[in-house]
Amino acid sequence: MSGVLGTYAYTNYYNVQGNYRQGAITCAMPAGSLFGALASSFIADRFSRRTAIQVAALIWVLGSIIQTASNGIEMLIVGRLISGLGVGIESAVVPIYQAEIAPPEIRGRVVSLQQWAITWGILIQYFIQYGASFTDGGASNPSQGTAAFRIPWGVQIVPATILFAGMFFFPRSPRWLASKDRWEECIEVLAALHGGGDMNHPKVLAQYQEIEEALTGERVEGKPDWTLLTEPRMFRRVILGMSIQMWSQLCGMNVMMYYIVYVMEAANIGDPLLTSAIQYILNVVLTLPAILFLDKWGRRPSLLVGSFMMMVFLFIVGALQAIYGEPFHADSGPLSAISWILRDNRSAQVAVVVFTYLFVSTFSITWGPTSWTYPAEIFPSQIRAKAVSLATASNWGWNCALAFAVPPLLWNINWRLYMLFASFNGVAFIHMFLTAPETKGKSLEEMDDVFDSGRPAWRSVPKGSRLAVLQKEIEEGNLKVALRFGDSPMELKDEATATNIETVKEVV
Protein backbone atom coordinates (compact mmCIF):
# COMPACT_ATOMS: atom_id res chain seq x y z
CA MET A 1 0.00 0.00 0.00
CA SER A 2 2.77 2.42 0.93
CA GLY A 3 4.21 2.60 -2.59
CA VAL A 4 1.04 4.07 -4.08
CA LEU A 5 0.40 6.63 -1.33
CA GLY A 6 2.91 9.04 -2.84
CA THR A 7 1.30 9.10 -6.31
CA TYR A 8 -1.23 11.55 -7.71
CA ALA A 9 -2.91 8.65 -9.53
CA TYR A 10 -4.01 7.11 -6.24
CA THR A 11 -4.78 10.25 -4.23
CA ASN A 12 -6.81 11.81 -7.04
CA TYR A 13 -8.69 8.73 -8.23
CA TYR A 14 -9.85 7.73 -4.74
CA ASN A 15 -9.94 11.29 -3.39
CA VAL A 16 -8.08 10.34 -0.20
CA GLN A 17 -7.22 13.80 1.05
CA GLY A 18 -8.65 13.07 4.51
CA ASN A 19 -6.57 11.08 7.01
CA TYR A 20 -9.56 9.07 8.25
CA ARG A 21 -10.44 8.01 4.71
CA GLN A 22 -6.94 6.66 4.10
CA GLY A 23 -6.99 5.03 7.51
CA ALA A 24 -10.22 3.20 6.58
CA ILE A 25 -8.74 1.95 3.31
CA THR A 26 -5.52 0.78 4.95
CA CYS A 27 -7.15 -0.91 7.93
CA ALA A 28 -9.63 -2.85 5.76
CA MET A 29 -7.04 -5.56 5.10
CA PRO A 30 -5.98 -6.11 8.72
CA ALA A 31 -9.67 -6.03 9.67
CA GLY A 32 -10.30 -8.90 7.28
CA SER A 33 -7.16 -10.60 8.59
CA LEU A 34 -8.54 -10.44 12.13
CA PHE A 35 -11.57 -12.49 11.11
CA GLY A 36 -9.46 -14.77 8.92
CA ALA A 37 -7.15 -15.54 11.85
CA LEU A 38 -10.11 -16.36 14.11
CA ALA A 39 -11.58 -18.69 11.48
CA SER A 40 -8.26 -20.35 10.68
CA SER A 41 -8.31 -22.93 13.47
CA PHE A 42 -11.60 -24.44 12.29
CA ILE A 43 -10.24 -24.99 8.79
CA ALA A 44 -6.77 -26.09 9.94
CA ASP A 45 -8.05 -28.57 12.55
CA ARG A 46 -10.78 -30.08 10.41
CA PHE A 47 -9.26 -30.13 6.92
CA SER A 48 -5.50 -29.94 7.69
CA ARG A 49 -2.94 -27.16 7.80
CA ARG A 50 -2.09 -27.67 4.12
CA THR A 51 -5.68 -27.34 2.94
CA ALA A 52 -6.17 -24.19 5.04
CA ILE A 53 -3.17 -22.59 3.31
CA GLN A 54 -4.62 -23.44 -0.11
CA VAL A 55 -8.07 -22.08 0.77
CA ALA A 56 -6.47 -18.83 1.94
CA ALA A 57 -4.55 -18.51 -1.34
CA LEU A 58 -7.81 -18.73 -3.33
CA ILE A 59 -9.43 -16.10 -1.10
CA TRP A 60 -6.44 -13.82 -1.71
CA VAL A 61 -6.83 -14.21 -5.49
CA LEU A 62 -10.49 -13.16 -5.28
CA GLY A 63 -9.66 -10.12 -3.15
CA SER A 64 -6.85 -9.06 -5.49
CA ILE A 65 -9.16 -9.22 -8.51
CA ILE A 66 -11.69 -6.96 -6.77
CA GLN A 67 -8.98 -4.47 -5.72
CA THR A 68 -7.54 -4.30 -9.23
CA ALA A 69 -10.96 -3.70 -10.76
CA SER A 70 -12.13 -1.25 -8.08
CA ASN A 71 -13.76 1.96 -9.31
CA GLY A 72 -14.17 3.62 -5.92
CA ILE A 73 -13.25 3.50 -2.26
CA GLU A 74 -16.11 1.15 -1.37
CA MET A 75 -15.04 -1.54 -3.86
CA LEU A 76 -11.38 -1.12 -2.86
CA ILE A 77 -12.25 -1.64 0.80
CA VAL A 78 -14.30 -4.77 -0.01
CA GLY A 79 -11.37 -6.18 -2.01
CA ARG A 80 -8.94 -5.48 0.80
CA LEU A 81 -11.30 -7.04 3.35
CA ILE A 82 -11.53 -10.25 1.32
CA SER A 83 -7.77 -10.34 0.75
CA GLY A 84 -7.37 -9.79 4.47
CA LEU A 85 -9.37 -12.95 5.21
CA GLY A 86 -6.80 -14.91 3.23
CA VAL A 87 -3.88 -13.18 4.91
CA GLY A 88 -5.33 -13.86 8.36
CA ILE A 89 -5.67 -17.58 7.67
CA GLU A 90 -2.19 -17.81 6.15
CA SER A 91 -0.50 -15.88 8.94
CA ALA A 92 -2.02 -18.13 11.61
CA VAL A 93 -1.61 -21.49 9.89
CA VAL A 94 1.77 -21.19 8.14
CA PRO A 95 3.80 -20.83 11.39
CA ILE A 96 1.91 -23.81 12.87
CA TYR A 97 2.63 -25.90 9.79
CA GLN A 98 6.30 -24.94 9.83
CA ALA A 99 6.65 -25.60 13.56
CA GLU A 100 4.98 -29.01 13.27
CA ILE A 101 7.22 -30.28 10.47
CA ALA A 102 10.54 -28.86 11.76
CA PRO A 103 12.93 -30.59 14.18
CA PRO A 104 13.43 -28.62 17.43
CA GLU A 105 17.06 -27.72 16.76
CA ILE A 106 16.15 -25.66 13.67
CA ARG A 107 12.50 -24.82 14.37
CA GLY A 108 13.26 -21.14 14.91
CA ARG A 109 15.10 -21.03 11.59
CA VAL A 110 12.28 -22.73 9.71
CA VAL A 111 9.50 -20.55 11.16
CA SER A 112 11.64 -17.45 10.63
CA LEU A 113 11.62 -18.24 6.93
CA GLN A 114 7.99 -17.09 6.95
CA GLN A 115 9.04 -13.65 8.15
CA TRP A 116 11.81 -13.57 5.56
CA ALA A 117 9.31 -14.47 2.84
CA ILE A 118 7.07 -11.65 4.10
CA THR A 119 9.95 -9.16 3.86
CA TRP A 120 10.73 -10.34 0.33
CA GLY A 121 7.07 -9.94 -0.61
CA ILE A 122 6.99 -6.42 0.82
CA LEU A 123 10.21 -5.49 -0.99
CA ILE A 124 9.19 -6.93 -4.37
CA GLN A 125 5.72 -5.39 -4.18
CA TYR A 126 7.16 -2.03 -3.16
CA PHE A 127 9.50 -1.95 -6.16
CA ILE A 128 6.66 -3.01 -8.45
CA GLN A 129 4.73 -0.05 -7.02
CA TYR A 130 7.78 2.18 -7.41
CA GLY A 131 8.23 1.13 -11.04
CA ALA A 132 4.51 1.56 -11.76
CA SER A 133 4.65 5.06 -10.26
CA PHE A 134 6.57 6.22 -13.37
CA THR A 135 3.67 5.42 -15.69
CA ASP A 136 1.74 8.26 -17.33
CA GLY A 137 4.22 11.01 -16.50
CA GLY A 138 5.31 9.85 -13.05
CA ALA A 139 4.08 10.15 -9.47
CA SER A 140 4.17 13.96 -9.49
CA ASN A 141 1.93 14.29 -12.55
CA PRO A 142 -1.52 15.49 -11.35
CA SER A 143 -3.18 13.70 -14.31
CA GLN A 144 -1.39 10.38 -13.84
CA GLY A 145 -3.45 7.33 -14.93
CA THR A 146 -4.68 4.42 -12.82
CA ALA A 147 -2.05 1.97 -14.08
CA ALA A 148 0.19 3.28 -11.27
CA PHE A 149 -1.85 1.31 -8.73
CA ARG A 150 -3.73 -1.29 -10.82
CA ILE A 151 -0.52 -2.96 -12.04
CA PRO A 152 0.90 -3.73 -8.56
CA TRP A 153 -2.50 -4.81 -7.23
CA GLY A 154 -3.00 -7.18 -10.18
CA VAL A 155 0.46 -8.74 -9.81
CA GLN A 156 -0.59 -9.98 -6.34
CA ILE A 157 -2.57 -12.76 -8.01
CA VAL A 158 0.58 -14.49 -9.29
CA PRO A 159 2.25 -15.57 -6.00
CA ALA A 160 -1.10 -16.67 -4.53
CA THR A 161 -1.69 -18.93 -7.53
CA ILE A 162 1.81 -20.40 -7.20
CA LEU A 163 1.23 -21.02 -3.48
CA PHE A 164 -2.07 -22.81 -4.11
CA ALA A 165 -0.54 -25.13 -6.73
CA GLY A 166 2.75 -25.61 -4.88
CA MET A 167 1.14 -26.85 -1.67
CA PHE A 168 -0.01 -30.01 -3.46
CA PHE A 169 3.63 -31.07 -3.43
CA PHE A 170 4.05 -30.57 0.35
CA PRO A 171 3.10 -33.18 2.99
CA ARG A 172 0.39 -32.76 5.56
CA SER A 173 1.51 -32.03 9.10
CA PRO A 174 2.47 -35.28 10.88
CA ARG A 175 0.98 -33.98 14.12
CA TRP A 176 -2.31 -33.21 12.38
CA LEU A 177 -2.30 -36.70 10.85
CA ALA A 178 -1.71 -38.21 14.30
CA SER A 179 -4.60 -36.19 15.74
CA LYS A 180 -6.85 -37.85 13.12
CA ASP A 181 -5.44 -41.32 13.94
CA ARG A 182 -3.79 -41.52 10.52
CA TRP A 183 -0.71 -43.05 12.11
CA GLU A 184 0.66 -44.76 9.04
CA GLU A 185 0.71 -41.51 7.10
CA CYS A 186 2.16 -39.77 10.15
CA ILE A 187 5.20 -42.07 10.36
CA GLU A 188 5.69 -41.91 6.59
CA VAL A 189 5.79 -38.11 6.67
CA LEU A 190 8.14 -38.10 9.68
CA ALA A 191 10.41 -40.52 7.86
CA ALA A 192 10.41 -38.41 4.71
CA LEU A 193 11.13 -35.23 6.66
CA HIS A 194 13.65 -36.44 9.22
CA GLY A 195 14.89 -39.89 8.26
CA GLY A 196 15.53 -39.84 4.53
CA GLY A 197 12.48 -42.06 4.08
CA ASP A 198 13.65 -44.57 6.72
CA MET A 199 10.88 -45.30 9.24
CA ASN A 200 13.45 -47.15 11.34
CA HIS A 201 15.58 -44.03 11.87
CA PRO A 202 16.00 -43.27 15.62
CA LYS A 203 15.14 -39.61 15.14
CA VAL A 204 11.90 -40.56 13.38
CA LEU A 205 10.96 -43.05 16.09
CA ALA A 206 11.77 -40.59 18.88
CA GLN A 207 9.49 -37.93 17.37
CA TYR A 208 6.76 -40.50 16.81
CA GLN A 209 7.06 -41.61 20.44
CA GLU A 210 6.74 -38.04 21.73
CA ILE A 211 3.77 -37.25 19.52
CA GLU A 212 1.95 -40.42 20.53
CA GLU A 213 2.56 -39.91 24.26
CA ALA A 214 1.48 -36.25 24.15
CA LEU A 215 -1.64 -37.05 22.15
CA THR A 216 -2.56 -39.92 24.45
CA GLY A 217 -2.17 -37.66 27.49
CA GLU A 218 -4.40 -34.99 25.94
CA ARG A 219 -7.08 -37.57 25.15
CA VAL A 220 -6.97 -39.03 28.66
CA GLU A 221 -7.71 -35.55 30.05
CA GLY A 222 -10.72 -35.50 27.74
CA LYS A 223 -11.40 -31.77 28.10
CA PRO A 224 -12.91 -29.74 25.24
CA ASP A 225 -10.38 -27.63 23.35
CA TRP A 226 -11.90 -24.26 24.25
CA THR A 227 -12.12 -25.26 27.92
CA LEU A 228 -8.39 -26.02 27.94
CA LEU A 229 -7.66 -22.52 26.63
CA THR A 230 -9.16 -20.98 29.77
CA GLU A 231 -7.40 -23.21 32.30
CA PRO A 232 -5.01 -21.06 34.38
CA ARG A 233 -1.82 -22.82 33.27
CA MET A 234 -2.80 -22.59 29.59
CA PHE A 235 -4.49 -19.21 29.80
CA ARG A 236 -1.16 -17.66 30.84
CA ARG A 237 0.35 -18.98 27.63
CA VAL A 238 -2.57 -17.71 25.56
CA ILE A 239 -2.14 -14.23 27.05
CA LEU A 240 1.62 -14.39 26.42
CA GLY A 241 1.14 -15.39 22.78
CA MET A 242 -1.44 -12.65 22.24
CA SER A 243 0.78 -10.12 24.04
CA ILE A 244 3.81 -10.89 21.89
CA GLN A 245 1.76 -10.31 18.77
CA MET A 246 0.30 -7.14 20.30
CA TRP A 247 3.73 -5.71 21.14
CA SER A 248 4.98 -6.58 17.65
CA GLN A 249 2.40 -4.07 16.41
CA LEU A 250 2.70 -1.47 19.17
CA CYS A 251 6.49 -1.35 18.78
CA GLY A 252 5.97 1.12 15.93
CA MET A 253 6.94 -1.02 12.95
CA ASN A 254 3.51 -0.48 11.47
CA VAL A 255 4.29 3.19 10.97
CA MET A 256 7.34 2.16 8.97
CA MET A 257 5.49 -0.44 6.88
CA TYR A 258 2.25 1.33 6.03
CA TYR A 259 3.25 4.98 6.21
CA ILE A 260 7.01 5.10 5.66
CA VAL A 261 6.44 7.50 2.75
CA TYR A 262 4.84 9.96 5.18
CA VAL A 263 7.81 9.56 7.55
CA MET A 264 10.28 10.29 4.75
CA GLU A 265 8.22 13.21 3.48
CA ALA A 266 8.32 14.70 6.98
CA ALA A 267 12.11 14.22 7.01
CA ASN A 268 12.15 16.30 3.79
CA ILE A 269 15.15 14.50 2.30
CA GLY A 270 15.43 13.20 -1.26
CA ASP A 271 12.77 11.25 -3.15
CA PRO A 272 10.49 9.82 -0.43
CA LEU A 273 9.59 6.76 -2.52
CA LEU A 274 13.25 5.91 -3.18
CA THR A 275 14.36 6.73 0.38
CA SER A 276 11.59 4.48 1.69
CA ALA A 277 12.77 1.64 -0.54
CA ILE A 278 16.04 1.40 1.37
CA GLN A 279 14.25 0.36 4.54
CA TYR A 280 12.54 -2.49 2.70
CA ILE A 281 15.93 -3.73 1.50
CA LEU A 282 17.25 -3.55 5.06
CA ASN A 283 14.19 -5.46 6.24
CA VAL A 284 15.02 -8.34 3.89
CA VAL A 285 18.77 -8.43 4.45
CA LEU A 286 18.68 -8.16 8.23
CA THR A 287 16.07 -10.87 8.72
CA LEU A 288 18.79 -13.30 7.58
CA PRO A 289 20.79 -13.17 10.86
CA ALA A 290 17.67 -14.23 12.75
CA ILE A 291 17.13 -17.17 10.40
CA LEU A 292 20.72 -18.27 10.90
CA PHE A 293 21.11 -17.63 14.62
CA LEU A 294 17.69 -17.56 16.34
CA ASP A 295 18.15 -21.20 17.38
CA LYS A 296 21.58 -20.32 18.81
CA TRP A 297 20.99 -17.06 20.69
CA GLY A 298 17.39 -17.88 21.62
CA ARG A 299 13.96 -16.25 21.58
CA ARG A 300 14.21 -14.41 24.90
CA PRO A 301 17.33 -12.33 24.10
CA SER A 302 15.75 -11.37 20.77
CA LEU A 303 12.63 -10.05 22.47
CA LEU A 304 14.49 -8.16 25.22
CA VAL A 305 17.30 -6.64 23.14
CA GLY A 306 14.86 -5.78 20.36
CA SER A 307 12.45 -3.92 22.65
CA PHE A 308 15.19 -1.95 24.32
CA MET A 309 16.95 -0.87 21.12
CA MET A 310 13.72 0.06 19.32
CA MET A 311 12.73 2.17 22.32
CA VAL A 312 16.05 4.07 22.16
CA PHE A 313 15.87 4.70 18.40
CA LEU A 314 12.26 5.94 18.49
CA PHE A 315 12.99 8.31 21.38
CA ILE A 316 15.86 9.76 19.33
CA VAL A 317 13.71 10.17 16.19
CA GLY A 318 10.96 11.85 18.22
CA ALA A 319 13.42 14.18 19.92
CA LEU A 320 14.99 15.22 16.61
CA GLN A 321 11.56 15.91 15.12
CA ALA A 322 10.53 17.91 18.20
CA ILE A 323 13.70 20.02 18.33
CA TYR A 324 14.28 20.71 14.63
CA GLY A 325 10.83 20.30 13.08
CA GLU A 326 8.10 22.86 12.43
CA PRO A 327 4.40 22.87 11.50
CA PHE A 328 3.57 22.28 7.84
CA HIS A 329 0.41 22.41 5.74
CA ALA A 330 -0.41 21.46 2.14
CA ASP A 331 -3.94 21.68 0.75
CA SER A 332 -3.63 18.83 -1.77
CA GLY A 333 -1.38 16.11 -3.10
CA PRO A 334 0.63 13.44 -1.25
CA LEU A 335 2.16 15.98 1.16
CA SER A 336 -1.28 16.91 2.47
CA ALA A 337 -1.11 13.93 4.84
CA ILE A 338 1.61 15.44 7.09
CA SER A 339 1.53 18.43 9.43
CA TRP A 340 5.15 18.50 10.66
CA ILE A 341 8.34 18.72 8.63
CA LEU A 342 12.09 19.20 9.02
CA ARG A 343 13.48 22.21 7.15
CA ASP A 344 16.92 23.68 6.52
CA ASN A 345 18.82 21.31 8.78
CA ARG A 346 20.53 18.65 6.75
CA SER A 347 22.15 16.94 9.75
CA ALA A 348 18.82 16.49 11.55
CA GLN A 349 17.15 15.23 8.36
CA VAL A 350 19.86 12.64 7.77
CA ALA A 351 19.82 11.61 11.44
CA VAL A 352 16.06 10.97 11.37
CA VAL A 353 16.45 8.76 8.30
CA VAL A 354 19.43 6.89 9.79
CA PHE A 355 17.73 6.15 13.11
CA THR A 356 14.59 5.12 11.26
CA TYR A 357 16.70 2.61 9.35
CA LEU A 358 18.30 1.41 12.60
CA PHE A 359 14.86 0.89 14.10
CA VAL A 360 13.73 -1.17 11.10
CA SER A 361 16.97 -3.17 11.18
CA THR A 362 16.51 -3.97 14.88
CA PHE A 363 12.96 -5.17 14.33
CA SER A 364 14.05 -7.32 11.39
CA ILE A 365 16.72 -9.11 13.43
CA THR A 366 14.69 -9.54 16.62
CA TRP A 367 10.93 -9.12 16.92
CA GLY A 368 10.11 -9.70 13.25
CA PRO A 369 10.84 -13.45 13.15
CA THR A 370 10.54 -14.14 16.89
CA SER A 371 7.00 -12.79 17.19
CA TRP A 372 5.84 -15.49 14.75
CA THR A 373 8.08 -18.29 16.01
CA TYR A 374 7.30 -18.05 19.73
CA PRO A 375 3.46 -18.27 19.68
CA ALA A 376 3.55 -21.15 17.17
CA GLU A 377 5.64 -23.38 19.45
CA ILE A 378 4.37 -22.89 23.01
CA PHE A 379 0.98 -24.67 22.87
CA PRO A 380 0.10 -28.41 23.00
CA SER A 381 -1.17 -30.07 19.84
CA GLN A 382 -4.81 -30.25 20.94
CA ILE A 383 -5.24 -26.48 21.16
CA ARG A 384 -2.33 -25.23 19.04
CA ALA A 385 -4.39 -24.05 16.06
CA LYS A 386 -6.99 -22.35 18.26
CA ALA A 387 -4.45 -20.66 20.54
CA VAL A 388 -2.30 -19.46 17.64
CA SER A 389 -5.41 -18.16 15.88
CA LEU A 390 -6.12 -16.02 18.96
CA ALA A 391 -2.53 -14.77 19.04
CA THR A 392 -2.61 -13.96 15.34
CA ALA A 393 -6.01 -12.29 15.74
CA SER A 394 -4.37 -10.08 18.38
CA ASN A 395 -1.73 -9.13 15.82
CA TRP A 396 -4.29 -8.19 13.21
CA GLY A 397 -6.63 -6.47 15.66
CA TRP A 398 -3.88 -4.08 16.74
CA ASN A 399 -2.65 -3.84 13.15
CA CYS A 400 -6.13 -2.73 12.09
CA ALA A 401 -6.42 -0.20 14.90
CA LEU A 402 -3.03 1.31 14.09
CA ALA A 403 -3.62 1.35 10.34
CA PHE A 404 -6.72 3.46 10.97
CA ALA A 405 -5.32 5.60 13.78
CA VAL A 406 -1.79 6.44 12.61
CA PRO A 407 -2.69 8.93 9.82
CA PRO A 408 -4.79 11.19 12.11
CA LEU A 409 -2.30 10.69 14.96
CA LEU A 410 0.61 11.61 12.70
CA TRP A 411 -1.33 14.72 11.71
CA ASN A 412 -2.47 15.74 15.20
CA ILE A 413 0.44 14.82 17.49
CA ASN A 414 3.21 14.43 14.85
CA TRP A 415 6.56 13.90 16.63
CA ARG A 416 4.86 12.78 19.86
CA LEU A 417 3.73 9.64 18.04
CA TYR A 418 7.33 8.38 18.08
CA MET A 419 7.51 8.97 21.83
CA LEU A 420 4.31 6.97 22.28
CA PHE A 421 5.65 3.95 20.42
CA ALA A 422 9.00 4.23 22.21
CA SER A 423 7.14 4.02 25.52
CA PHE A 424 5.27 0.92 24.33
CA ASN A 425 8.63 -0.72 23.65
CA GLY A 426 9.73 0.07 27.20
CA VAL A 427 6.63 -1.63 28.63
CA ALA A 428 7.14 -4.60 26.29
CA PHE A 429 10.71 -5.01 27.59
CA ILE A 430 9.48 -5.29 31.19
CA HIS A 431 6.62 -7.59 30.23
CA MET A 432 8.83 -10.00 28.26
CA PHE A 433 11.47 -10.03 30.99
CA LEU A 434 8.90 -11.16 33.56
CA THR A 435 6.83 -13.62 31.52
CA ALA A 436 8.66 -15.10 28.49
CA PRO A 437 10.89 -18.14 29.22
CA GLU A 438 13.38 -19.48 26.70
CA THR A 439 12.08 -22.21 24.36
CA LYS A 440 14.99 -22.84 21.99
CA GLY A 441 16.02 -26.46 21.50
CA LYS A 442 12.88 -27.90 23.11
CA SER A 443 10.44 -30.06 21.17
CA LEU A 444 6.81 -28.96 20.85
CA GLU A 445 5.83 -31.74 23.24
CA GLU A 446 8.22 -30.38 25.92
CA MET A 447 6.58 -26.97 26.25
CA ASP A 448 4.50 -28.10 29.22
CA ASP A 449 7.76 -28.77 31.06
CA VAL A 450 9.06 -25.30 30.16
CA PHE A 451 5.95 -23.40 31.24
CA ASP A 452 4.56 -25.53 34.09
CA SER A 453 7.78 -26.05 36.08
CA GLY A 454 7.18 -23.03 38.34
CA ARG A 455 10.53 -21.60 37.26
CA PRO A 456 10.57 -17.78 36.82
CA ALA A 457 10.87 -16.70 33.19
CA TRP A 458 14.19 -14.94 33.81
CA ARG A 459 15.87 -18.11 35.09
CA SER A 460 17.64 -20.35 32.60
CA VAL A 461 15.80 -23.40 31.31
CA PRO A 462 17.77 -26.68 31.67
CA LYS A 463 19.70 -27.40 28.51
CA GLY A 464 19.04 -30.40 26.34
CA SER A 465 15.90 -31.94 24.94
CA ARG A 466 13.86 -34.97 25.93
CA LEU A 467 13.66 -35.80 22.23
CA ALA A 468 17.45 -36.13 22.08
CA VAL A 469 17.36 -38.47 25.10
CA LEU A 470 14.68 -40.62 23.44
CA GLN A 471 16.67 -40.75 20.23
CA LYS A 472 19.78 -41.89 22.11
CA GLU A 473 17.87 -44.60 23.97
CA ILE A 474 16.45 -45.91 20.71
CA GLU A 475 19.90 -45.90 19.10
CA GLU A 476 21.31 -47.89 22.04
CA GLY A 477 18.43 -50.36 21.95
CA ASN A 478 17.10 -49.37 25.39
CA LEU A 479 13.74 -48.17 24.05
CA LYS A 480 11.49 -50.06 21.66
CA VAL A 481 8.65 -48.18 20.04
CA ALA A 482 5.28 -49.44 18.82
CA LEU A 483 3.93 -47.97 15.62
CA ARG A 484 0.16 -47.98 15.56
CA PHE A 485 -2.44 -47.60 12.83
CA GLY A 486 -5.61 -46.25 14.41
CA ASP A 487 -6.21 -48.33 17.53
CA SER A 488 -4.28 -51.34 16.28
CA PRO A 489 -0.59 -52.09 15.73
CA MET A 490 0.46 -50.92 12.30
CA GLU A 491 1.39 -53.54 9.76
CA LEU A 492 5.10 -52.99 9.20
CA LYS A 493 6.46 -52.40 5.74
CA ASP A 494 9.47 -54.66 5.76
CA GLU A 495 11.59 -56.98 7.87
CA ALA A 496 14.28 -54.38 8.54
CA THR A 497 11.71 -52.13 10.14
CA ALA A 498 10.13 -54.97 12.07
CA THR A 499 13.49 -55.90 13.56
CA ASN A 500 13.79 -52.81 15.76
CA ILE A 501 10.20 -51.59 16.01
CA GLU A 502 8.23 -53.84 18.31
CA THR A 503 4.46 -54.06 18.49
CA VAL A 504 4.73 -53.36 22.17
CA LYS A 505 6.55 -50.52 23.91
CA GLU A 506 9.01 -51.20 26.67
CA VAL A 507 11.93 -49.53 28.36
CA VAL A 508 14.80 -51.77 29.40
Side-chain angles (χ1 to χ4, degrees), residues 144-263:
Q144 186 182 32
T146 61
F149 56 82
R150 295 198 194 279
I151 290 173
W153 293 348
V155 169
Q156 296 176 123
I157 297 169
V158 176
T161 304
I162 294 172
L163 176 63
F164 172 79
M167 286 305 297
F168 283 111
F169 299 96
F170 283 76
R172 299 188 190 277
S173 161
R175 288 170 171 85
W176 179 83
L177 290 168
S179 72
K180 301 300 179 183
D181 287 325
R182 292 163 64 171
W183 292 103
E184 186 171 7
E185 293 174 78
C186 171
I187 191 69
E188 287 173 353
V189 171
L190 286 172
L193 289 171
H194 309 301
D198 179 14
M199 290 193 298
N200 200 33
H201 194 288
K203 189 171 187 177
V204 173
L205 297 178
Q207 289 201 54
Y208 176 91
Q209 171 87 348
E210 270 211 320
I211 292 170
E212 185 186 39
E213 286 183 354
L215 192 59
T216 301
E218 290 169 7
R219 288 174 173 174
V220 167
E221 273 191 66
K223 294 181 179 177
D225 298 354
W226 290 108
T227 302
L228 279 174
L229 286 173
T230 58
E231 282 194 344
R233 72 182 187 89
M234 207 58 65
F235 189 65
R236 287 194 295 271
R237 274 187 252 180
V238 172
I239 294 300
L240 177 59
M242 294 178 69
S243 297
I244 287 175
Q245 291 285 24
M246 175 188 74
W247 292 126
S248 75
Q249 295 300 314
L250 293 179
C251 72
M253 189 61 176
N254 246 319
V255 180
M256 306 307 172
M257 287 295 103
Y258 285 135
Y259 302 116
I260 185 62
V261 172
Y262 293 169
V263 175

Side-chain angles (χ1 to χ4, degrees), residues 42-53:
F42 299 100
I43 305 172
D45 280 341
R46 182 164 186 175
F47 300 106
S48 84
R49 287 41 167 150
R50 189 181 77 177
T51 300
I53 293 170

Side-chain angles (χ1 to χ4, degrees), residues 468-479:
V469 174
L470 281 174
Q471 183 177 338
K472 186 177 180 181
E473 288 184 344
I474 292 170
E475 289 172 347
E476 295 174 349
N478 296 327
L479 179 64

Side-chain angles (χ1 to χ4, degrees), residues 123 127 276-286:
L123 176 66
F127 273 110
S276 302
I278 297 173
Q279 75 132 16
Y280 292 112
I281 296 172
L282 290 171
N283 197 22
V284 170
V285 172
L286 290 170

Side-chain angles (χ1 to χ4, degrees), residues 5 89 137 177 270 330 334 411:
L5 295 181
I89 296 170
L177 290 168
W411 175 270

Side-chain angles (χ1 to χ4, degrees), residues 17 105 107 138 148 155 160 166 174 301 311 313 337 383 395 460 470 473:
Q17 305 301 332
E105 64 270 18
R107 187 175 58 244
V155 169
M311 175 186 71
F313 294 141
I383 64 167
N395 177 297
S460 298
L470 281 174
E473 288 184 344

Side-chain angles (χ1 to χ4, degrees), residues 48-201:
S48 84
R49 287 41 167 150
R50 189 181 77 177
T51 300
I53 293 170
Q54 291 178 300
V55 168
L58 293 178
I59 294 172
W60 175 265
V61 169
L62 175 61
S64 297
I65 291 171
I66 295 173
Q67 288 178 69
T68 306
S70 64
N71 58 4
I73 287 179
E74 294 81 5
M75 190 172 177
L76 176 59
I77 288 176
V78 169
R80 286 179 62 82
L81 276 167
I82 293 173
S83 290
L85 286 171
V87 172
I89 296 170
E90 298 280 17
S91 59
V93 177
V94 169
I96 296 173
Y97 179 76
Q98 292 172 310
E100 290 184 344
I101 66 173
E105 64 270 18
I106 61 167
R107 187 175 58 244
R109 182 180 304 175
V110 172
V111 180
S112 294
L113 286 172
Q114 185 216 20
Q115 175 65 15
W116 199 42
I118 290 171
T119 64
W120 270 108
I122 293 170
L123 176 66
I124 292 169
Q125 180 63 282
Y126 185 84
F127 273 110
I128 291 172
Q129 293 171 350
Y130 181 67
S133 72
F134 289 98
T135 60
D136 299 326
S140 58
N141 178 16
S143 59
Q144 186 182 32
T146 61
F149 56 82
R150 295 198 194 279
I151 290 173
W153 293 348
V155 169
Q156 296 176 123
I157 297 169
V158 176
T161 304
I162 294 172
L163 176 63
F164 172 79
M167 286 305 297
F168 283 111
F169 299 96
F170 283 76
R172 299 188 190 277
S173 161
R175 288 170 171 85
W176 179 83
L177 290 168
S179 72
K180 301 300 179 183
D181 287 325
R182 292 163 64 171
W183 292 103
E184 186 171 7
E185 293 174 78
C186 171
I187 191 69
E188 287 173 353
V189 171
L190 286 172
L193 289 171
H194 309 301
D198 179 14
M199 290 193 298
N200 200 33
H201 194 288

